[in-house]
Amino acid sequence: MSTAYEDPDEDKEVSDPLEVVIINDEVARLYHALPRAAVDHPGVPPLTRYCIALAMYMQNPMKEYAALGDNITSITFDPNQQLIPKAKLKKHLDTAMVDMVNLVGIEINDAMNDKSTENLLQYICGLGQRKAGQMIKTVNGWGRDIATRDQLVGDMEHGLRPSMGAKCWENCASFLYIMYDQTENGADYLDNTRIHPEDYDIARKIAADALEFDEEDIKTEVDHGGPGAVVRKLVADDAQDKVNDLLLEQYAEQLETKFGQHKRATLESIRAELQNPFEELRRNFTYLNSSETFTMLTGETEKTLQEGMIISVSVRRTFGDHLEVKLDCGIDGGISSTEFPEDMEKNGLEARQVWQSNQVIQAKITHLDTRKLTAQLTMREQELRKPFKREMYHGVDEWDDDQEARDTREMKKATSNDSSARIQRVIKHSLYRAFNSAQAEAELAKQGRGDCIIRPSSKGTDHLVITWKVHDGVFKHEDVLELDKENEFSVGKTLRVDKATYSDLDELIVLHVKAMAKKVDEMMGDDRYQSGTKQQAEAWLTTYTDANPKRSMYVFCIDRSYPGYFHLCFKPGRDAGTFFWPVKVIPSGFQLQENKYPDMRALKNGFKLLVANHGTGGVKASANGNGNGMANGKAVHAR
């Protein structure tokens, strides 16, 4: 709970629940023991330095990885990385850092004032460690912040010595940005984007066309506010979305015809940056699942610690009816009296007479709970005689006889089940109901979006169905395959939906159902979403393009025939056909044309790039349902 505070409405002290996040602590464990940690946080005990490192990693993992230097090879990225030389591993990790740092970019003034950000400069294309150090030394000698990218190559009129050469600046300029402040005279919005300075004129032309400025309007703005005035006007008027109405294909054709420049991809990048400078393109933060948390806390994996393994355990305490033991990895275990060796019962011996505290004994794991970090074990001689058989993972060209036998048994079981005589299961969960699909939909009709019901499946006792409400009148039935079942009545220890696996029903509901419901909310809250039918969306697009013949437009609407899907409806212009692409909602975002996007902004940008890159022949779509693909109209690049 948070610190208590006075609530004026209730006239009492209240505390809010705090969100607890478990993150990988490898960097923190390595950092807190380094000499650098003592220098950064003098007088602080190691445990506090460890906690500080966790917080710093949560804020910006990339900075913390960069600060490790050569010690980064001590972090486990792949279980087999110890098989290659450290020098080779470091080389490829540096390559990965270069890719990510240049993708994210660096605010150059932050790098001048923050040591952790400064560590990232060496990974910027065109710099490296030596040139980055020289640049920092020179800029610090100026005694002032950097106002524009151009100043990096010097401004002798203002007494600013060059911090790098022209070629170096050409290579790194678009990866170093300066936060835009509209109150600063001379501030250039384009310096806050991934747009390279050599393309600033094209970006300014696009901004002018979006504002529908003629040559006289452009001259007036430039004379009054300098070269960046038109872009500043676009931003000040909050009119960046207007660039979506432009057909960039025409710009690309003109640049290629007049100047021999192939700028199609660059134009799309410019449009995206004008709307959202340095948009976050990395994958969304994901919470550790139970398996990853288990490995982090214990050092064990699913391969190194499994049910059926015979291991050494240390006796903690002895009782008349059970033993408390501890595994080498720190997990607490228990051995009940029914799992004691058979000869103890015959000889009338108690646990205290046989074992003592701290004694090491052999036992076999019968149940392992990776979430609660507990284990149940047995010492029965009959079980200990059975050797542990590790599950084999076969290659694509190898036949798995055991799997074939299991499949044969499952098929016989499925065909022999009579649906009318289906076993009635009773599952202890607040959302479980013995409903069929119609009953589940009727119950959910009066509930909110994302609410769900767990119910039995007609596929047998190793399946469940989760029915959840996508929208009013739209319900999705998720088939859940239960694996690792103790018996036909129990819930499987592993639950599989499509290709994703979950450890229990609560985890499945939160990470799968609720996650998709959140994405449905995001889709329906977007300004491009139409609440009507597919036909109504098409009619709206036709009306819009009739009123704006040179503009393209697109919208989203729900697909009621396929719950969990939306239509992306777009019309490149008045004379073009209307196209429809299916958008699938997935727990991590949206899927379009087999590409996954974490949010609506990424989905819309991805849509533009798909059409730009694949053209009329590479993207499968249907124009008015006739299956003619994109042949009836020009490619559309709209947000």
Side-chain angles (χ1 to χ4, degrees):
M1 302 295 288
S2 66
T3 304
Y5 63 92
E6 191 72 25
D7 188 334
D9 296 331
E10 300 185 11
D11 194 25
K12 64 178 183 179
E13 283 192 348
V14 296
S15 296
D16 297 327
L18 295 176
E19 181 182 6
V20 178
V21 179
I22 299 177
I23 61 173
N24 193 308
D25 71 339
E26 278 191 308
V27 173
R29 283 189 281 114
L30 181 60
Y31 169 84
H32 90 283
L34 294 175
R36 183 174 70 88
V39 175
D40 293 344
H41 308 287
V44 173
L47 180 59
T48 304
R49 292 200 294 265
Y50 167 82
C51 295
I52 292 173
L54 284 178
M56 293 167 62
Y57 179 86
M58 187 69 182
Q59 291 175 337
N60 195 319
M62 191 167 62
K63 289 183 180 180
E64 299 312 302
Y65 281 125
L68 291 177
D70 292 339
N71 291 310
I72 195 172
T73 56
S74 300
I75 302 294
T76 302
F77 297 97
D78 186 277
N80 298 314
Q81 69 185 50
Q82 73 274 8
L83 300 177
I84 62 176
K86 280 193 174 182
K88 188 173 184 179
L89 175 63
K90 179 65 165 59
K91 176 184 175 181
H92 287 280
L93 289 175
D94 285 345
T95 300
M97 284 295 296
V98 169
D99 292 340
M100 296 311 300
V101 171
N102 287 279
L103 178 69
V104 175
I106 296 178
E107 210 291 334
I108 185 62
N109 288 311
D110 283 350
M112 296 300 111
N113 302 309
D114 177 45
K115 185 66 177 178
S116 59
T117 306
E118 178 186 319
N119 290 330
L120 298 174
L121 283 175
Q122 60 184 306
Y123 298 105
I124 289 292
C125 291
L127 287 182
Q129 191 170 14
R130 182 181 60 82
K131 293 179 181 178
Q134 178 62 33
M135 182 189 71
I136 293 167
K137 181 179 178 181
T138 302
V139 173
N140 284 334
W142 293 354
R144 54 179 287 186
D145 284 345
I146 301 172
T148 66
R149 281 172 170 166
D150 292 340
Q151 289 182 349
L152 290 172
V153 288
D155 186 352
M156 302 311 296
E157 292 183 4
H158 295 88
L160 304 180
R161 293 175 51 236
S163 64
M164 64 181 66
K167 194 64 178 179
C168 179
W169 178 83
E170 182 181 340
N171 290 333
C172 71
S174 60
F175 308 114
L176 302 173
Y177 65 93
I178 300 167
M179 193 64 68
Y180 176 68
D181 184 355
Q182 60 183 358
T183 62
E184 290 287 337
N185 292 329
D188 195 334
Y189 181 82
L190 298 179
D191 283 340
N192 188 37
T193 69
R194 292 185 175 92
I195 303 171
H196 195 280
E198 70 180 12
D199 295 319
Y200 278 9
D201 288 341
I202 299 176
R204 289 161 182 162
K205 172 62 176 172
I206 291 176
D209 289 349
L211 292 171
E212 299 182 358
F213 278 8
D214 55 25
E215 293 296 331
E216 185 176 345
D217 294 330
I218 296 173
K219 186 176 185 302
T220 301
E221 288 290 334
V222 172
D223 290 344
H224 182 264
V230 175
V231 178
R232 286 200 298 273
K233 173 70 173 173
L234 183 76
V235 176
D237 292 350
D238 197 19
Q240 295 99 312
D241 284 350
K242 289 185 177 181
V243 299
N244 291 319
D245 298 331
L246 302 177
L247 294 175
L248 298 186
E249 193 68 39
Q250 297 176 2
Y251 288 86
E253 292 173 358
Q254 291 177 9
L255 289 171
E256 185 173 356
T257 302
K258 293 182 179 181
F259 306 105
Q261 298 178 349
H262 300 280
K263 294 280 188 177
R264 187 67 189 85
T266 302
L267 292 171
E268 282 296 339
S269 177
I270 290 173
R271 170 150 60 183
E273 290 298 314
L274 286 174
Q275 297 174 83
N276 190 14
F278 268 96
E279 177 186 9
E280 179 58 80
L281 300 178
R282 292 173 293 180
R283 291 178 297 177
N284 284 354
F285 171 79
T286 55
Y287 294 98
L288 295 179
N289 58 36
S290 58
S291 177
E292 292 169 333
T293 303
F294 175 76
T295 299
M296 183 184 71
L297 296 177
T298 66
E300 301 284 358
T301 67
E302 294 178 351
K303 293 183 178 180
T304 62
L305 193 67
Q306 298 181 26
E307 293 178 359
M309 282 186 170
I310 299 174
I311 61 174
S312 297
V313 296
S314 176
V315 178
R316 294 182 61 200
R317 290 190 295 180
T318 59
F319 298 89
D321 59 347
H322 71 282
L323 285 178
E324 288 185 1
V325 299
K326 184 174 284 291
L327 282 63
D328 289 341
C329 60
I331 292 178
D332 291 325
I335 305 175
S336 66
S337 58
T338 58
E339 301 299 332
F340 289 168
E342 293 87 339
D343 58 356
M344 285 187 60
E345 183 177 354
K346 295 178 182 178
N347 299 328
L349 298 175
E350 293 186 357
R352 296 186 182 92
Q353 298 174 283
V354 180
W355 299 291
Q356 301 175 3
S357 296
N358 300 320
Q359 182 179 347
V360 177
I361 57 178
Q362 296 288 309
K364 187 174 188 176
I365 302 175
T366 58
H367 175 68
L368 181 64
D369 191 328
T370 58
R371 298 192 70 186
K372 296 180 180 178
L373 301 181
T374 59
Q376 295 297 318
L377 305 99
T378 181
M379 297 178 65
R380 296 182 67 83
E381 295 179 2
Q382 182 180 359
E383 293 295 327
L384 293 177
R385 290 195 194 101
K386 297 178 183 177
F388 171 67
K389 183 180 180 182
R390 189 180 300 276
E391 183 177 355
M392 299 299 295
Y393 296 91
H394 294 266
V396 293
D397 57 344
E398 299 176 3
W399 191 257
D400 190 340
D401 294 317
D402 291 339
Q403 184 63 48
E404 181 186 20
R406 287 195 295 270
D407 291 343
T408 302
R409 290 195 299 269
E410 291 295 329
M411 185 169 58
K412 289 181 179 179
K413 178 181 175 181
T415 54
S416 63
N417 281 342
D418 183 2
S419 59
S420 62
R422 190 186 312 157
I423 297 175
Q424 294 296 321
R425 301 180 62 184
V426 177
I427 296 176
K428 293 182 179 180
H429 195 283
S430 59
L431 298 178
Y432 180 78
R433 302 288 187 275
F435 287 170
N436 57 30
S437 60
Q439 292 172 320
E441 291 181 5
E443 179 68 18
L444 290 171
K446 53 194 175 185
Q447 299 185 33
R449 185 186 302 146
D451 289 338
C452 62
I453 285 176
I454 305 169
R455 60 185 182 85
S457 171
S458 59
K459 294 184 178 182
T461 56
D462 57 350
H463 284 260
L464 287 171
V465 176
I466 294 185
T467 301
W468 65 281
K469 184 174 182 179
V470 180
H471 191 52
D472 291 339
V474 182
F475 305 92
K476 185 172 177 60
H477 304 279
E478 301 277 3
D479 177 52
V480 181
L481 174 62
E482 301 175 68
L483 304 173
D484 303 328
K485 292 171 66 72
E486 293 182 353
N487 55 64
E488 61 182 343
F489 300 101
S490 64
V491 178
K493 297 176 184 177
T494 302
L495 305 176
R496 177 178 295 169
V497 181
D498 295 329
K499 296 181 180 180
T501 57
Y502 306 94
S503 59
D504 57 34
L505 288 169
D506 290 328
E507 185 178 58
L508 189 154
I509 291 170
V510 173
L511 299 183
H512 190 84
V513 176
K514 296 298 183 182
M516 287 197 293
K518 185 177 179 181
K519 291 303 173 184
V520 172
D521 289 337
E522 183 180 349
M523 168 70 79
M524 292 186 167
D526 192 84
D527 57 357
R528 293 289 188 183
Y529 177 75
Q530 295 272 343
S531 59
T533 63
K534 175 181 174 183
Q535 291 72 25
Q536 290 172 326
E538 182 178 8
W540 186 90
L541 290 173
T542 301
T543 302
Y544 179 89
T545 50
D546 286 344
N548 303 274
K550 296 182 179 181
R551 293 187 176 183
S552 60
M553 181 53 65
Y554 74 95
V555 295
F556 298 92
C557 65
I558 195 168
D559 186 346
R560 293 182 174 273
S561 300
Y562 295 93
Y565 281 82
F566 288 83
H567 292 295
L568 196 167
C569 318
F570 61 103
K571 191 173 174 66
R574 181 183 60 186
D575 300 327
T578 305
F579 306 97
F580 305 93
W581 289 359
V583 178
K584 182 181 179 181
V585 178
I586 57 178
S588 58
F590 304 96
Q591 183 172 319
L592 173 67
Q593 298 279 306
E594 299 183 356
N595 295 294
K596 297 178 181 179
Y597 305 96
D599 51 37
M600 286 299 298
R601 183 180 294 276
L603 171 65
K604 293 187 283 190
N605 288 339
F607 158 65
K608 294 181 290 185
L609 291 175
L610 279 173
V611 180
N613 294 335
H614 294 281
T616 58
V619 178
K620 296 180 181 179
S622 60
N624 295 328
N626 58 14
N628 290 334
M630 299 285 291
N632 293 341
K634 294 174 66 177
V636 57
H637 309 282
R639 174 179 171 168

